[in-house]
């Protein structure tokens, strides 16, 4: 089994979680939800600079648990990932990750104008195979955790992400258009990892 770690990132309300769900369904795989939502629902939205590091630790733990779960499943049932369920090649296993430490970096810099060095170190050391950067061309969908409904601010945040992607070595693809177009663009980018 070849696990490819694919991170979906971008500003709020750009369809990241929905895209993760779509792709996980298509590839019959799993995805790692954004831990920040769980943290904020449990602890409230009045977060501190230190909370962002705690959220990053939770996000990494969820990702590590998903990877360990895949390793356990493969050891206990080696045919699980080599027998196609239909036409999908299960020797190729994309693990979809809803946000990573770049999200923590951008969030921290926008809100607190600084970022914990441990988050920056993790960015430099953590291997991934592909980033899918979601653009702001979907309509804003409000919920109790989202902070930046203004399109101008969302586009500014998108530019933070784009600058980060341009200045790192892992391939990335910008995801935009309708939900269907986003899925097709993401699928094409992932298929190139085979």
């Amino acid at each position: 089994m070849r696990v490819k770690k694919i991170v979906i990132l971008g500003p709020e309300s750009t369809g990241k979680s929905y895209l993760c769900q779509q792709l996980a369904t298509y590839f019959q795989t799993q995805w790692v939800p954004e831990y920040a939502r769980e943290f904020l629902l449990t602890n409230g939205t009045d977060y501190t600079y230190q909370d962002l590091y705690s959220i990053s630790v939770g996000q990494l733990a969820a990702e590590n648990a998903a990877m360990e779960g895949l390793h356990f499943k493969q050891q206990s049932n080696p045919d699980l990932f080599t027998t196609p369920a239909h036409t999908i090649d299960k020797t190729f296993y994309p693990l979809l990750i809803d946000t990573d430490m770049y999200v923590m970096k951008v969030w921290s810099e926008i809100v607190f104008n600084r970022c914990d060095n441990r988050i920056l170190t993790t960015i430099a050391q953590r291997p991934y195979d592909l980033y899918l950067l979601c653009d702001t061309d979907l309509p804003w969908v409000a919920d109790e955790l989202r902070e930046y409904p203004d399109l101008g601010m969302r586009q500014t945040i998108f530019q933070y992400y784009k600058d980060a992607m341009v200045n790192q070595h892992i391939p990335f693809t910008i995801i935009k258009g309708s939900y269907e177009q986003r899925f097709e663009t993401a699928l094409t980018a992932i298929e190139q990892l085979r």
Side-chain angles (χ1 to χ4, degrees):
M1 173 180 65
R2 296 173 296 123
V3 175
K4 297 292 185 178
K5 293 168 64 176
I6 299 154
V7 178
I8 291 86
L9 72 168
E12 297 172 308
S13 193
T14 55
K16 298 182 298 292
S17 297
Y18 184 71
L19 183 58
C20 280
Q21 292 170 356
Q22 283 184 299
L23 292 167
T25 299
Y26 178 84
F27 284 106
Q28 298 181 1
T29 184
Q30 65 187 79
W31 65 287
V32 180
E34 181 183 14
Y35 177 75
R37 294 190 67 81
E38 178 183 332
F39 182 93
L40 295 174
L41 287 170
T42 301
N43 298 289
T45 57
D46 189 21
Y47 57 85
T48 66
Y49 175 75
Q50 291 76 22
D51 286 335
L52 296 188
Y53 179 70
S54 298
I55 291 169
S56 72
V57 169
Q59 183 69 38
L60 293 171
E63 184 183 317
N64 290 342
M67 287 298 293
E68 289 171 16
L70 294 178
H71 181 70
F72 174 77
K73 286 178 184 177
Q74 184 184 26
Q75 284 187 331
S76 62
N77 185 359
D79 294 332
L80 184 63
F81 297 107
T82 57
T83 304
H86 46 80
T87 60
I88 303 298
D89 173 12
K90 292 311 283 183
T91 61
F92 172 73
Y93 197 87
L95 176 64
L96 292 308
I97 303 164
D98 186 348
T99 74
D100 79 337
M101 294 305 101
Y102 276 114
V103 172
M104 302 310 303
K105 176 184 184 297
V106 169
W107 184 6
S108 188
E109 289 172 350
I110 286 173
V111 176
F112 297 105
N113 203 31
R114 59 188 172 135
C115 183
D116 191 302
N117 197 48
R118 294 170 291 184
I119 292 172
L120 299 175
T121 300
T122 302
I123 288 171
Q125 295 175 345
R126 195 117 176 140
Y128 295 100
D129 296 289
L130 176 67
Y131 283 100
L132 302 175
L133 173 57
C134 295
D135 206 340
T136 59
D137 55 342
L138 288 178
W140 172 262
V141 177
D143 75 17
E144 71 273 24
L145 301 179
R146 293 181 175 153
E147 297 181 293
Y148 299 108
D150 176 70
L151 180 59
M153 184 59 179
R154 294 173 69 216
Q155 290 171 335
T156 297
I157 294 169
F158 175 80
Q159 194 59 50
Y160 270 76
Y161 286 115
K162 187 175 177 185
D163 290 346
M165 292 295 97
V166 167
N167 290 302
Q168 53 89 44
H169 68 281
I170 298 165
F172 75 97
T173 298
I174 294 177
I175 305 297
K176 58 186 176 180
S178 67
Y179 286 108
E180 295 78 16
Q181 290 168 322
R182 287 166 179 256
F183 175 76
E184 291 300 327
T185 302
L187 188 59
T188 298
I190 293 170
E191 289 290 353
Q192 292 174 358
L193 296 175
R194 286 188 187 273

